[in-house]
Amino acid sequence: MLKVVDSHTEGEPTRVVLEGGPDLGSGPLSERAKRLATEHKDFYRSLVVEPYGQEAMVGALLVEPTDPSCVTGVIYFDAAAVIGMCGHGTIGLAATLAHIGKIDVGTHKIETPVGIVEVTLTDKNTVTVQNIESYRFKKGVELDVEGVGKVVGDIAYGGNWFFIVDDSPTPVLPSNIRTLTEIGIKVRETIYAHGIEGENGGIIDHIVFYGPALTDKGHTRNFVLCPDDAYDRSPCGTGSSARLSCLAADQRLAPGEAIYQESTIGSGYTLSYQLGSKPGGIIPSITGQAFITREANIVVNPTDPLRHGVQL
Ligand code: PYC
């Protein structure tokens, strides 16, 4: 039996697995994440797809941290992949840890496969994540996308690898979600077809399109395609981190200056950054709210033909 707590962060769901996950052994979280990805795909996928999960859900498997100053270790995954870091998931995780009485208002460290992040819990729902150092790797990469035309974007890292398109090929509006998804998939396929990668072979599995904000307080509105082809209902914490590194590199945002980033559905994060330790590196801060939606025991019956989730 698996004990989980579900939440949503600005509309994007997170499922924290408190008990009952596979034994991934000890050692660096990056190695344990690889073990989850290669040896337990059925386990992690089944938790976040129907009938046990829901569309767009990201799972967060709690593991023992290697650094004892961290309140927990965590490995994130969606239906398609184990991912390095997850901003909305970390906000959801902090709200979950507060809900179960493991943390209180204040600042706490969490270990992820890509490094240690800090969460500051202002109240039981409001969380600021100080993410790992983020940076732009390449500016103005031109793609010729079949059926779409020329698409120009930056390749940047925020805990995952992103292709960030400032001028969305189609307006970032809820009525365009299907079209944005189709174009995002084509952009990703073009990236793979041309062997375009992040630094050290990093897989660019998230695509982000930007358009004008729809509210007065918004800086811009974004659409984020995740590896499982679902779009992020929040503005995507790691994607916002990667974008902040591009804004910083282009001197479009000063250190400490705050902006409000709108998501496709109209929710949002407050974002800012401080300079990092490497040239071009920044330390992003992402503030958003998460709400607990469910506490549950997941019962997986070994005779259930759909125990590994619906696979089409
Ligand atoms: O918030 O970083 C994020 C994220 C990644 C995938 C879905 N959300």
Side-chain angles (χ1 to χ4, degrees):
M1 191 142 67
L2 290 153
K3 202 167 169 187
V4 301
V5 176
D6 294 353
S7 59
H8 79 83
T9 305
E10 306 297 346
E12 178 76 353
T14 305
R15 169 162 285 173
V16 177
V17 183
L18 298 176
E19 280 174 27
D23 179 7
L24 300 174
S26 55
L29 259 66
S30 53
E31 280 173 21
R32 284 185 258 170
K34 269 189 209 134
R35 239 168 267 146
L36 180 66
T38 52
E39 295 168 23
H40 300 282
K41 180 148 193 185
D42 283 343
F43 161 78
Y44 77 74
R45 192 180 172 280
S46 68
L47 268 179
V48 290
V49 297
E50 293 172 3
Y52 296 94
Q54 70 177 91
E55 203 192 322
M57 188 169 243
V58 167
L61 178 65
L62 297 193
V63 295
E64 213 36 59
T66 61
D67 182 330
S69 69
C70 293
V71 66
T72 186
V74 62
I75 301 172
Y76 294 110
F77 50 88
D78 74 6
V82 172
I83 57 178
M85 198 352 231
C86 181
H88 94 266
T90 303
I91 295 172
L93 171 57
T96 297
L97 294 174
H99 179 73
I100 63 171
K102 201 158 175 191
I103 62 170
D104 211 336
V105 165
T107 298
H108 310 273
K109 288 188 198 169
I110 292 174
E111 189 171 332
T112 79
V114 295
I116 292 175
V117 299
E118 263 184 23
V119 291
T120 301
L121 189 74
T122 310
D123 58 47
K124 64 183 184 354
N125 303 111
T126 311
V127 180
T128 297
V129 178
Q130 193 181 80
N131 198 5
I132 52 146
E133 188 152 339
S134 303
Y135 62 99
R136 179 165 71 189
F137 177 54
K138 279 189 184 155
K139 177 180 165 73
V141 176
E142 274 189 31
L143 302 175
D144 186 11
V145 182
E146 202 185 324
V148 180
K150 188 165 106 171
V151 177
V152 182
D154 291 358
I155 298 172
Y157 180 72
N160 299 300
W161 282 99
F162 290 83
F163 190 75
I164 299 178
V165 179
D166 246 3
D167 289 318
S168 178
T170 197
V172 180
L173 297 171
S175 54
N176 282 340
I177 285 171
R178 185 179 293 185
T179 312
L180 287 158
T181 303
E182 284 166 4
I183 297 175
I185 292 170
K186 282 186 181 172
V187 167
R188 200 179 53 209
E189 282 169 352
T190 309
I191 287 170
Y192 292 164
H194 289 86
I196 298 169
E197 293 175 334
E199 199 174 23
N200 300 321
I203 298 170
I204 303 166
D205 52 6
H206 293 71
I207 311 296
V208 195
F209 299 131
Y210 280 85
L214 298 186
T215 66
D216 287 345
K217 69 172 180 169
H219 180 261
T220 42
R221 181 167 284 235
N222 74 10
F223 172 89
V224 184
L225 183 76
C226 296
D228 60 1
D229 293 348
Y231 74 95
D232 196 329
R233 277 64 168 161
S234 82
C236 189
T238 50
S240 295
S241 301
R243 175 78 177 337
L244 282 169
S245 75
C246 300
L247 294 177
D250 291 334
Q251 299 183 342
R252 290 164 68 193
L253 191 72
E257 199 180 330
I259 55 172
Y260 183 76
Q261 179 62 58
E262 293 176 6
S263 73
T264 308
I265 67 162
S267 59
Y269 289 148
T270 300
L271 306 174
S272 64
Y273 73 90
Q274 298 299 330
L275 295 177
S277 60
K278 299 177 199 132
I282 59 146
I283 307 293
S285 288
I286 307 134
T287 303
Q289 286 202 310
F291 293 86
I292 305 302
T293 54
R294 194 178 294 119
E295 291 179 283
N297 292 320
I298 304 236
V299 182
V300 182
N301 186 326
T303 65
D304 177 355
L306 290 179
R307 66 191 178 282
H308 300 318
V310 174
Q311 314 212 31
L312 301 174

